[in-house]
Amino acid sequence: MKIIVLMKQVANKDAILRINREENWIEEGDISFEVNESDGYALEEALQLKEKKGGEVVVCTMGPQRAKSVIKDALARGADRAIHVVTDELPHAGPFAAAKVLAEAVRAEQADLILTGLQSDDYGYGQTGVILAELLGLPHATIVIEVDATGEQLRVKRELESGWYQWYTMQTPALLTIQSGISQIRYATLKGIMAAKKKEIKEVQPEASAAVEQFQRITKVYFPLKTKQTQFLGDGDAKAGAVQLAEKLRTEARVI
Amino acid sequence: MSDGILVFIEHREGVINKTSFEAVAAAQQLSAALGLDVSAVVLGTDAGLAGEVAGYKVGKVISAENPKLAAYTPDSYTDAMEQVVRSLAPRFVIFSHTYLVRDYAPKLAARFGKGLIGDCIRVKTEGGTVVFSRRIFLGKIDADVVTEGEPPVFVSFQSGAYRGEQAEKANGAPVESMAVEVGEVRMQPEAPFQEMKQAVDLSKAEVIVAIGRGIKSQENIALAEKLAEALGADIAASRPICDAGWLPIDRQIGSSGQTVAPKLYIALGISGAIQHLVGMKNASTIVAVNKDPEAPIFDIADYGIVGDLFEVVPVLTEEVKKLKG
Ligand SMILES: Cc1cc2nc3c(=O)[nH]c(=O)nc-3n(C[C@H](O)[C@H](O)[C@H](O)COP(=O)(O)OP(=O)(O)OC[C@H]3O[C@@H](n4cnc5c(N)ncnc54)[C@H](O)[C@@H]3O)c2cc1C
Ligand SMILES: Nc1ncnc2c1ncn2[C@@H]1O[C@H](COP(=O)(O)O)[C@@H](O)[C@H]1O
C-alpha cells in the first residue's frame, strides 16, 4: 500500500504572535515552527498501516526551506521518502491554489491512500484535503478517527458533532483527513534519525501561474476585539492573583 | 434568481439543524446590505422539510430531490448542490460551518475552481466591497478576507456568529421542487451512533477544573486534581490532553466532547479555541489562567490571571482550603 501524507509546517503553538508591519500576516522572523498537529497523527496512522500491510509512506510538504525540518522529522519517524514543494508565497494563496499545486506534486505517485490533517493550525481552512480529493478524482472522508484496512475495502470511522460517530466504507484509492488523537504518536529513535539521512527528499517547484490564482485574499490581520470585560487579577503577580481570585470567587461569584 | 444569495439548509433524521437558521440570518443581513434576494435549498428525497423553511423571510425554497439524497454523502450532496448553484447562479452561497459542511462544501467550491471562505465570524460591506472576517491561529488572530474573481462566493459562518432567532419570518415562501442528477456515490455510510454510555457525565457538574496543554505533563495533573478536590470540583480537559491519553475521552469538553454549564469553570492552560469554547461558554462564572495575555480564552473569562499556572494553582488551592475552613 502506497500512502502519501501531507504535512505542513506551522507556527509553534506556544509562540507569542505579533502582527507584521504590513498588518497582513504575523511577524515570522522571531518565532519557531513545528509540524501541524493533526498532520503528525496522519503520519502515525500511515506508519501503522504500513506496518500492517507493507508498502511505502511518502511525505509531501509545501513551504519554504525551513519546512525541511518537518520532512526530516517524518523521515526519522519512519517515512520512506519525501517531496518538498519549495515556495515562499504559496502557502498564503488559499486552499484551492494550495491543493492544486499539491495535486500536481503527488498525482504521478498514484498512491493508494492520501492522508492529510483535518485542519491547519495557522489558516485553519480545513479544506486542502477535500479539494485535493476532488482534483485527483478520489473519494474522501473527513475527521477520521479510525481506519480499518483489513478488508477488501477501506472502512473508516468519522467523528460527527457532540459525541456521534459514523462508519463509511469506500474503495481505494481514497483520501482521508485525519483527526488528532487517532493513535499515540511515536518518537523518532536515534536509529531512525541516522537512517533518515540517507532517504530521498525530492524538491519540486510549483508552476509560476499557481500563485496568481487567488480567490480569497487576506487584507488585514489584527487581534480580536475583546467583547467581555474580564477582571484581570494580580497585575502580573501570579500568586497575588490567586489570592485575589479566591476572595472574588467567595464574595462576588459566591461559588466558594 | 441570478445574482442572489442561496442558503444551504442542513438536516438529519427529519430535523433541521438549528445552525442553518443562523445561516439564514446571515444571508438576510447580507441581503439587506446588498439588495439581493435570498433563496434557501434543502436536499432530500422529497419536499417534506422545505415547508418548514418556507416560514422564513426568503424569496423561495428549493427542494432538490433525488433518491440518492436519503442519507448524506459528500459525493451525492456535491453533485446535487452543483446543479442547484449552476441553475440559480447566485452571487453568494451561504452555509453554517458544521462538520457536514466541512465535509463537502470545499469539494463543491472546487467544482467552481475555488475554495470556501470558511468559518467566518462576521461580514461587513465597505463601500460596495464585501469583507469577511475569520479567526486564524486557533482563534488568536482575526483576518479580514476579500474575494476576487467571478461569483459565486461560497462562505460558511461559525456556529454562534449569528443568532437563529434573529432570522426573520414571513408567510409562506413558495417551495419549488427540482429533480437533480446524482452520479456515482463512492462511499457507503452506516448509521450514525454514539459510543457506549459515558462513564462520566459532566453536564450536571457544578464546578469544573479544566486543564489544557499548558499543564505540560501527565504528572502535573495531580496539581489540578488537588485544586479540584479543594473546590469539590470535577476534572475535565481540552482535546490534546485526552488525545495524549492523559485523561479518558469522557473528560473532554468541546465540540467533539461534552457540553457543560457549571456554576464555575476554571480553565488552566487552555488557549480557548472555538471547538473548546462551544463546550463551556455557558458556564456562569469562567476563570482563565494563562501565561499568554492574548489567549482567546480571556475573551469569555469573567476573571483572568495572566501568569504561570504552576505558580497560581498551589496558592489558589491553599486559599480555597482556608476559605472553606
Ligand atoms: C473538528 C475539530 C474538533 C475539535 N474538538 C475539540 C474538542 O471537543 N475539545 C477541545 O478542547 N478541542 C477540540 N479541538 C481542538 C482545538 O481546535 C484546539 O486545538 C484545542 O482545544 C487546544 O487545546 P489547548 O487549549 O489545551 O492547547 P493549546 O492551544 O496549545 O493551548 C495551551 C495554552 O496553555 C498556555 N500555557 C502554556 N504553559 C502555561 C503555563 N505554564 N501557565 C499558564 N498557561 C500556560 C498557552 O499560553 C496556551 O494558551 C477540535 C479541533 C477540530 C478541528
Ligand atoms: N503547505 C502545505 N503542505 C503540505 N500539506 C498541507 C499544506 N497546506 C495544507 N496541507 C494539508 O492539508 C491539511 C488541511 O489544511 P488546511 O486546509 O489549511 O486547514 C493540513 O493538515 C495538511 O495535511
Side-chain angles (χ1 to χ4, degrees):
Chain A
M1 184 174 232
K2 187 198 255 186
I3 308 172
I4 292 180
V5 186
L6 291 188
M7 301 182 79
K8 182 182 179 184
Q9 191 187 45
V10 295
N12 193 299
K13 277 205 202 58
D14 284 337
I16 302 293
L17 303 178
R18 291 188 297 123
I19 310 282
N20 70 7
R21 188 141 13 107
E22 296 78 29
E23 293 184 24
N24 60 9
W25 193 237
I26 56 159
E27 196 62 70
E28 290 194 331
D30 53 359
I31 58 170
S32 60
F33 293 86
E34 63 184 356
V35 66
N36 187 51
E37 177 162 32
S38 50
D39 303 3
Y41 285 99
L43 174 65
E44 180 61 39
E45 191 57 32
L47 295 173
Q48 294 193 9
L49 286 170
K50 180 189 148 182
E51 279 159 11
K52 286 182 210 136
K53 314 236 351 161
E56 189 186 23
V57 173
V58 183
V59 166
C60 177
T61 291
M62 177 172 74
Q65 280 300 345
R66 63 168 154 76
K68 278 268 171 0
S69 64
V70 165
I71 292 179
K72 287 183 180 152
D73 182 61
L75 294 177
R77 283 170 206 264
D80 297 288
R81 59 186 170 88
I83 302 169
H84 183 182
V85 184
V86 185
T87 161
D88 288 330
E89 283 310 312
L90 255 171
H92 300 290
F96 185 78
K100 217 170 155 190
V101 173
L102 289 165
E104 291 328 307
V106 302
R107 194 186 294 272
E109 294 282 345
Q110 301 273 341
D112 301 297
L113 201 57
I114 300 181
L115 304 185
T116 75
L118 87 165
Q119 188 163 316
S120 57
D121 289 342
D122 49 6
Y123 284 100
Y125 291 127
Q127 300 185 45
T128 306
V130 177
I131 297 174
L132 181 63
E134 173 66 15
L135 295 175
L136 294 174
L138 302 177
H140 78 263
T142 57
I143 323 193
V144 169
I145 56 151
E146 199 175 327
V147 179
D148 175 0
T150 50
E152 183 84 333
Q153 297 202 42
L154 202 59
R155 212 168 151 253
V156 300
K157 185 174 167 187
R158 294 189 54 221
E159 188 178 287
L160 308 179
E161 274 124 341
S162 43
W164 286 79
Y165 300 91
Q166 183 170 30
W167 285 95
Y168 271 70
T169 309
M170 59 181 78
Q171 296 284 357
T172 55
L175 183 144
L176 310 176
T177 83
I178 301 294
Q179 168 68 296
S180 297
I182 190 167
S183 52
Q184 296 306 313
I185 295 181
R186 73 192 61 195
Y187 292 102
T189 59
L190 191 60
K191 197 165 145 236
I193 295 169
M194 297 312 289
K197 299 209 165 102
K198 294 190 210 76
K199 291 177 178 171
E200 178 196 90
I201 304 176
K202 185 172 96 183
E203 285 195 3
V204 298
Q205 313 294 329
E207 285 185 33
S209 63
V212 193
E213 286 210 66
Q214 280 201 6
F215 164 69
Q216 40 184 308
R217 188 164 56 83
I218 292 181
T219 52
K220 187 179 157 82
V221 307
Y222 46 95
F223 288 108
L225 290 171
K226 300 265 186 276
T227 48
K228 188 148 175 177
Q229 289 297 326
T230 305
Q231 283 193 48
F232 283 101
L233 307 174
D235 200 17
D237 180 344
K239 287 177 184 155
V243 175
Q244 289 168 28
L245 176 61
E247 193 53 38
K248 298 260 181 197
L249 290 180
R250 193 170 69 105
T251 55
E252 287 181 13
R254 296 174 182 282
V255 282
I256 298 184
Chain B
M1 87 162 180
S2 196
D3 210 32
I5 302 174
L6 179 66
V7 192
F8 169 74
I9 305 292
E10 174 177 333
H11 56 89
R12 200 177 82 192
E13 282 164 12
V15 181
I16 294 176
N17 189 321
K18 59 183 189 321
T19 60
S20 291
F21 299 116
E22 300 177 7
V24 171
Q28 288 173 341
Q29 188 206 308
L30 199 58
S31 143
L34 298 173
L36 300 173
D37 285 342
V38 178
S39 304
V41 57
V42 187
L43 310 188
T45 50
D46 57 49
L49 283 173
E52 275 181 45
V53 187
Y56 285 82
K57 192 177 160 204
V58 295
K60 66 180 170 193
V61 183
I62 312 285
S63 167
E65 295 163 25
N66 186 298
K68 287 184 184 167
L69 295 170
Y72 166 79
T73 63
D75 279 357
S76 60
Y77 265 50
T78 304
D79 281 359
M81 272 297 276
E82 181 185 356
Q83 284 162 66
V84 176
V85 173
R86 292 210 190 277
S87 102
L88 270 68
R91 224 166 109 194
F92 297 95
V93 183
I94 295 188
F95 306 83
S96 175
H97 196 72
T98 61
Y99 285 24
L100 181 148
V101 165
R102 294 173 58 115
D103 193 55
Y104 94 93
K107 181 177 171 72
L108 172 67
R111 296 233 174 129
F112 294 80
K114 56 185 68 168
L116 169 77
I117 320 271
D119 212 9
C120 295
I121 52 166
R122 277 190 299 275
V123 55
K124 52 185 189 255
T125 43
E126 287 173 351
T129 309
V130 182
V131 182
F132 298 98
S133 304
R134 51 190 304 277
R135 295 250 140 110
I136 55 177
F137 289 97
L138 295 171
K140 285 183 205 141
I141 290 181
D142 280 359
D144 283 352
V145 178
V146 298
T147 69
E148 278 154 15
E150 294 291 306
V153 174
F154 296 88
V155 44
S156 67
F157 286 96
Q158 189 165 92
S159 149
Y162 288 84
R163 297 172 66 91
E165 311 90 82
Q166 280 172 350
E168 275 183 71
K169 303 214 166 159
N171 321 336
V175 174
E176 274 178 26
S177 285
M178 181 190 286
V180 287
E181 304 277 323
V182 172
E184 190 199 351
V185 176
R186 297 164 295 175
M187 56 290 288
Q188 294 81 47
E190 296 169 29
F193 63 97
Q194 278 182 300
E195 292 292 13
M196 300 275 271
K197 186 92 192 91
Q198 283 171 324
V200 189
D201 179 9
L202 295 173
S203 64
K204 300 202 174 55
E206 299 239 311
V207 182
I208 290 178
V209 172
I211 51 169
R213 207 196 308 263
I215 199 82
K216 295 282 188 311
S217 76
Q218 190 165 15
E219 295 75 64
N220 292 339
I221 295 176
L223 201 69
E225 278 167 346
K226 282 195 195 117
L227 175 60
E229 200 182 311
L231 283 164
D234 283 293
I235 199 104
S238 67
R239 179 162 193 130
I241 300 300
C242 303
D243 283 350
W246 295 353
L247 283 177
I249 181 124
D250 51 17
R251 297 276 166 185
Q252 181 175 314
I253 305 297
S255 61
S256 46
Q258 300 204 41
T259 301
V260 296
K263 282 198 189 127
L264 174 63
Y265 190 92
I266 302 185
L268 305 172
I270 293 178
S271 64
I274 181 66
Q275 294 88 1
H276 188 79
L277 300 187
V278 295
M280 46 65 76
K281 61 175 186 223
N282 290 328
S284 328
T285 300
I286 297 173
V287 172
V289 180
N290 197 302
K291 64 180 185 188
D292 176 5
E294 301 291 351
I297 188 80
F298 287 127
D299 195 25
I300 62 155
D302 300 281
Y303 301 103
I305 299 178
V306 178
D308 187 346
L309 75 91
F310 297 105
E311 289 183 32
V312 172
V313 174
V315 177
L316 183 58
T317 308
E318 285 315 308
E319 289 299 310
V320 169
K321 278 189 192 155
K322 267 191 234 161
L323 291 178
K324 283 204 157 183

